[in-house]
Amino acid sequence: MARKDLLDIASLHREEIEFLLDQSTSFKKLFTHSVKKIPALEGKSVLMLFYEASTRTHSSFEVAAKRLSAEVTNFDVAHSSITKGESVRETIETLQAMRTDYIVVRHSHSGLPGMIARQTTASVINAGDGAHEHPTQALLDAFTIKEKFPDPRGKKVLIIGDILHSRVARSTSTLLQKLGVEVAYLGPGSLVPKYVPATIPRFTNYEAAMAWAPDVVYLLRVQLERQDVQFFPNVREYHRVYGITTARLAEIRDRGLYIMHPGPVNRGVELCDAVMDYERSLITNQVENGISIRMAVLDWLTPGGEFPRQESYAAPQRASSTVIMP
Amino acid sequence: MLLLQNARIAAENSPELVESDVLIVEGIIQQIGTSLAIPEGARVIDARGRVLMPGMFDAHVHFRAPGFENKETITTGSEAAINGGITGVVMMPNTRPALDSATAIATVLDNARHRARIPVYTSGCVTKNREGKELAEIEGMHRLGVIMLTDDGDTTADPAVLLRAMQYATEFGMFFASHCEVPELAGPRALNEGVMSYRLGIKGSPACAEEIIIDRDIRLARAAGAHVHIQHVSSKLGMETIRWWKSRGDVKVTAEVAPHHLMFTDEHIGDYDTNYKMNPPLRTQADCDALLEGLKEGVFDLIATDHAPHTPFEKAQDFISAPNGITGLDTALVSLHHFFVEPGKFGWDLVVKRYSAEPRRLMGLPVPTIEVGQQAECVLFDTEAETTFTKEFMKSKSQNTPFINQTLKGRVDLVILGTEILLER
């Protein structure tokens, strides 16, 4: 089951997911040792290609790669030719010539990591593409949930917030469903589109969502920067209607629910300050687990494969695109 | 002299093909009948089993010149047309500079006369540089033969500007071709809003963005007493809107449908395949079915490809960065045969009516037929043979088509225009 790239959760098989979660457990045990580094990727190079700002994901990948003894290079997008108008396609050719083994890419364009993967021999890891997927986030979320619920089947996760723009919602929901976890959404009508998968119930108000009896409340970051036209009137109203207010936190504590958030948190919007000290908040666990999951992913992927054809730019045909004969 | 023996002749008003010999002398169809005598010196082609039809006419093509000759030129574009059995086209004016003045039109038409083996017509812009603000040089363009006005690629966003243009240009006998979408709703991405756009994580363009402008522009045409032609309709409600207006009969409205909107849905985009990215976008199976129904019913007067070439480099970008549009001239006739005529969804009479006769009527041009006394403008089509659309087969400068390297049933064997055989395979 060797794979060159990790681009999405949708195409991952259950066995692959279980394997990665198991590997992550082993890697996490290393963290308690005084020497946290192993030589698994010695002599290999990892290139960090982040076109979007990122603190957690970027540093998490960097730490993970270094703990596996890989060389890490940051492709400095802000100071590169990209600001001179070089297209991503041209950048990929440059990267291909550098013969890097792994490319960790984040970009605001959905599907862009897949395009890179088709045109390079390096293993490409999607670190978030537009509103499409964020597979390592989903894996670390599942890992974090499994630490609390070793058999997560039948457990319920309520995801609250901006479903429309969230790659986390897509990837994490897909992965949790593959593990037998039930998922439901709650959020403003303008941010929870009516065409989300039919297998995911959608609640329109907080009380109804709580009556569904979730085990975990997963809050999404409100992405104010993605709102070309307003999706809700203001953050105060958002907090009152969809946020974890102090009163709601008390109820959550009574019920013993876990709270998760992919970060960075908008305090006073998705959640009130007190959530940060809530004993069942898993937010820092998520950060910690990000490293071992990313180590498992880097260790698992196999760079190489057929060198892409250089004589033309013809994108290889995808299986899904063949003309269907009537 | 050319004698085609036992060809099956297609005509717009005859559901059945009629087997006959056709004798062409000096570019004119001189005799039609069974077992015609072979005149001295005549070349004889055994056309048994093959369909002889008038040359097609595409009223919506982008030949990219001037300004984007790396994508297409008038020469390569018109050769792609011939390759697909099309003997006349209308170019869209979204070139650089845009075709918004008599000077620009004169240059392009002059080029076309020298560089194309088929008649190439052009439309002109409604507004200067298609910006939707100042009116283009409407009468100046009309003087050179332009009768279709369009800001194709975009909607003329300001309804007041379009209404004025309609009131003004109608006096000269010109008509308007509308690319329909509310820019604020459509957003920058050509992708249908729905399950697929959610799955791909790209902001979609809802069908209502198109339907609103279809309705708006017909209302404006009614108010101005103008003729409006709705381009490349992609949605069910869009089709029904046009049907409703046509049934009222108090406004001159015509409409076109593109082959790809009849054949594909947004599901075909699969893993971000940019050869399925065009504007208006591919929608759902229900839309495809409704469009086919609209075509058969006559809601759509014509079929047009919206032939939109882009370089391999541009289309090899990610889905969001890649430009909108696919090529169509090389593939249209064969694909219509493959998807519709061969499975019996409609006949050759519909193809001839909607892809040869009606587009010429829209443009006020004579309609070629396979009849004695007519100029020979015809295509011989083998329904049993296959065509594989390789890069080498395509005559367009670009190959951004879903049919690339696909094999479809049907083949254009011969294209005749007057005394010239434009293509022989």
Side-chain angles (χ1 to χ4, degrees):
Chain A
M1 58 174 195
R3 263 181 197 262
K4 175 171 139 341
D5 311 298
L6 177 61
L7 302 173
D8 55 34
I9 292 296
S11 66
L12 280 189
H13 301 298
R14 200 194 151 92
E15 305 79 64
E16 293 175 302
I17 295 163
E18 300 282 3
F19 174 78
L20 285 170
L21 297 177
D22 288 349
Q23 286 291 98
S24 178
T25 310
S26 315
F27 283 121
K28 195 175 174 182
K29 284 183 188 139
L30 285 173
F31 300 171
T32 55
H33 301 185
S34 59
V35 177
K36 298 183 177 63
K37 205 164 169 174
I38 56 163
L41 292 190
E42 201 162 277
K44 301 280 185 185
S45 54
V46 175
L47 188 101
M48 309 286 284
L49 185 59
F50 277 62
Y51 290 88
E52 269 189 340
S54 160
T55 315
R56 287 156 199 258
T57 307
H58 187 286
S59 54
S60 177
F61 266 111
E62 193 163 341
V63 170
K66 285 178 172 166
R67 284 193 185 165
L68 294 170
S69 307
E71 271 177 48
V72 179
T73 310
N74 283 295
F75 193 85
D76 191 346
V77 174
H79 297 110
S80 74
S81 316
I82 286 139
T83 49
K84 299 180 207 159
E86 179 177 296
S87 81
V88 175
R89 280 286 293 107
E90 285 151 350
T91 307
I92 295 164
E93 278 171 29
T94 312
L95 299 180
Q96 178 60 41
M98 289 178 187
R99 305 291 170 102
T100 177
D101 298 297
Y102 301 85
I103 298 172
V104 179
V105 60
R106 168 171 288 192
H107 198 286
S108 60
H109 286 187
S110 304
L112 189 133
M115 181 200 76
I116 296 180
R118 281 190 291 275
Q119 295 168 16
T120 172
T121 51
S123 278
V124 175
I125 301 169
N126 180 2
D129 60 332
H132 178 225
E133 287 247 21
H134 192 353
T136 57
Q137 177 72 43
L139 286 162
L140 75 88
D141 287 341
F143 184 80
T144 305
I145 289 171
K146 270 194 85 173
E147 282 186 323
K148 298 299 168 193
F149 302 106
D151 180 4
R153 281 175 299 176
K155 295 296 168 198
K156 291 176 168 180
V157 176
L158 173 68
I159 303 182
I160 303 180
D162 180 357
I163 305 296
L164 178 64
H165 297 108
S166 176
R167 54 197 174 210
V168 177
R170 283 170 180 76
S171 288
T172 297
S173 304
T174 308
L175 182 46
L176 291 178
Q177 287 191 310
K178 286 188 186 209
L179 295 176
V181 175
E182 288 181 48
V183 178
Y185 292 153
L186 166 66
S190 49
L191 288 171
V192 186
K194 61 179 186 294
Y195 36 77
V196 297
T199 53
I200 300 176
R202 202 211 129 183
F203 295 105
T204 50
N205 69 77
Y206 185 86
E207 289 66 32
M210 279 296 139
W212 181 66
D215 301 287
V216 177
V217 176
Y218 193 117
L219 305 159
L220 294 171
R221 179 180 154 75
V222 171
Q223 311 222 17
L224 296 162
E225 67 275 13
R226 292 212 178 144
Q227 305 203 5
D228 46 354
V229 175
Q230 268 196 311
F231 286 90
F232 53 85
N234 58 56
V235 292
R236 275 184 44 168
E237 182 161 310
Y238 182 91
H239 185 63
R240 195 176 67 237
V241 183
Y242 304 102
I244 303 303
T245 57
T246 343
R248 285 172 181 168
L249 181 62
E251 188 199 352
I252 285 171
R253 179 175 277 125
D254 287 347
R255 292 171 173 238
L257 312 185
Y258 290 101
I259 289 183
M260 295 174 72
H261 191 298
V265 167
N266 293 309
R267 286 172 184 245
V269 185
E270 298 101 60
L271 39 77
C272 61
D273 281 356
V275 173
M276 305 312 280
D277 304 319
Y278 174 49
E279 60 279 9
R280 288 186 171 226
S281 159
L282 300 177
I283 298 173
T284 49
N285 305 46
Q286 288 173 278
V287 178
E288 187 189 1
N289 293 337
I291 295 167
S292 56
I293 272 292
R294 288 173 177 122
M295 287 172 79
V297 168
L298 282 163
D299 186 50
W300 171 58
L301 294 175
T302 316
E306 210 175 307
F307 198 82
R309 291 178 303 122
Q310 291 295 306
E311 79 270 22
S312 80
Y313 292 112
Q317 282 284 308
R318 283 69 129 209
S320 50
S321 313
T322 47
V323 176
I324 295 148
M325 300 296 168
Chain B
M1 270 190 291
L2 182 65
L3 179 64
L4 298 163
Q5 288 180 323
N6 303 108
R8 296 189 293 154
I9 298 171
E12 61 172 322
N13 293 320
S14 129
E16 301 300 322
L17 300 171
V18 182
E19 192 172 294
S20 271
D21 294 353
V22 175
L23 178 67
I24 299 166
V25 180
E26 285 173 1
I28 306 291
I29 297 171
Q30 201 161 70
Q31 260 187 300
I32 296 178
T34 44
S35 311
L36 292 184
I38 303 173
E40 183 79 32
R43 185 178 162 202
V44 179
I45 291 175
D46 178 12
R48 188 176 292 278
R50 293 188 277 180
V51 180
L52 186 69
M53 62 189 100
M56 299 297 137
F57 188 95
D58 203 309
H60 192 148
V61 304
H62 297 270
F63 279 179
R64 306 298 188 203
F68 306 99
E69 287 87 351
N70 55 333
K71 300 173 194 255
E72 194 79 288
T73 64
I74 290 176
T75 306
T76 56
S78 55
E79 288 303 316
I82 293 166
N83 203 28
I86 295 148
T87 53
V89 295
V90 183
M91 297 187 296
M92 291 297 118
N94 59 338
T95 50
R96 192 175 61 202
L99 307 182
D100 58 6
S101 68
T103 322
I105 296 283
T107 313
V108 162
L109 288 180
D110 189 52
N111 256 332
R113 265 189 295 278
H114 292 100
R115 295 175 208 274
R117 297 193 290 151
I118 53 169
V120 171
Y121 304 89
T122 186
S123 53
C125 295
V126 179
T127 61
K128 274 191 190 163
N129 203 28
R130 303 190 309 117
E131 282 167 1
K133 297 192 171 72
E134 289 174 68
L135 295 187
E137 207 182 326
I138 290 172
E139 197 277 340
M141 296 191 289
H142 180 250
R143 200 173 284 200
L144 295 169
V146 172
I147 62 164
M148 182 197 283
L149 292 171
T150 177
D151 282 343
D152 182 41
D154 294 292
T155 287
T156 311
D158 185 338
V161 171
L162 185 59
L163 181 65
R164 294 278 153 70
M166 283 175 163
Q167 290 163 338
Y168 183 77
T170 300
E171 300 285 305
F172 306 112
M174 301 170 90
F175 71 94
F176 287 76
S178 280
H179 169 115
C180 300
E181 64 176 337
V182 180
E184 295 85 352
L185 280 174
R189 319 285 179 232
L191 176 65
N192 183 46
E193 185 183 83
V195 173
M196 196 62 189
S197 70
Y198 180 76
R199 188 154 95 213
L200 295 175
I202 296 176
K203 180 184 183 308
S205 174
C208 69
E210 182 181 351
E211 292 146 4
I212 288 167
I213 300 293
I214 291 176
D215 191 63
R216 185 201 77 167
D217 284 7
I218 298 174
R219 282 169 196 272
L220 290 173
R222 185 173 176 275
H227 167 194
V228 67
H229 174 73
I230 305 297
Q231 297 178 304
H232 43 46
V233 178
S234 73
S235 85
K236 180 173 193 276
L237 269 180
M239 184 280 284
E240 288 174 358
T241 303
I242 297 164
R243 176 158 68 191
W244 183 77
W245 278 108
K246 282 191 163 189
S247 76
R248 288 178 55 94
D250 57 354
V251 53
K252 177 114 197 267
V253 51
T254 52
E256 73 191 28
V257 64
H260 51 261
H261 287 131
L262 296 165
M263 295 167 188
F264 303 119
T265 69
D266 57 357
E267 294 280 328
H268 283 91
I269 294 164
D271 185 17
Y272 300 96
D273 191 335
T274 59
N275 280 338
Y276 292 91
K277 182 186 181 189
M278 75 290 291
N279 195 16
L282 297 172
R283 301 199 192 273
T284 65
Q285 192 57 50
D287 294 298
C288 287
D289 296 345
L291 295 177
L292 179 60
E293 192 189 317
L295 178 63
K296 288 158 80 170
E297 214 181 280
V299 175
F300 298 116
D301 300 82
L302 47 118
I303 297 168
T305 59
D306 191 8
H307 177 79
H310 292 291
T311 66
F313 184 91
E314 292 169 309
K315 277 291 196 180
Q317 297 178 97
D318 67 276
F319 193 86
I320 291 175
S321 305
N324 298 329
I326 61 170
T327 60
L329 290 172
D330 289 289
T331 57
L333 193 54
V334 172
S335 67
L336 288 170
H337 171 255
H338 180 99
F339 284 94
F340 302 112
V341 180
E342 163 86 7
K345 294 189 177 164
F346 53 67
W348 283 112
D349 54 334
L350 183 141
V351 176
V352 172
K353 186 176 179 67
R354 301 300 173 193
Y355 201 24
S356 173
E358 286 299 330
R360 285 181 171 96
R361 288 190 187 110
L362 176 77
M363 294 301 292
L365 298 168
V367 174
T369 53
I370 314 286
E371 283 175 331
V372 173
Q374 291 284 317
Q375 181 188 238
E377 182 165 357
C378 49
V379 174
L380 189 62
F381 191 95
D382 191 333
T383 54
E384 294 305 313
E386 289 182 331
T387 305
T388 302
F389 293 105
T390 59
K391 187 169 181 275
E392 292 70 33
F393 175 90
M394 247 80 85
K395 298 284 184 247
S396 169
K397 208 165 186 176
S398 301
Q399 291 86 40
N400 49 310
T401 160
F403 298 116
I404 184 83
N405 295 327
Q406 303 281 336
T407 300
L408 268 61
K409 191 125 191 235
R411 188 177 67 199
V412 174
D413 281 353
L414 193 66
V415 181
I416 299 169
L417 179 58
T419 53
E420 261 196 279
I421 293 181
L422 299 179
L423 174 95
E424 188 167 5
R425 229 179 232 123

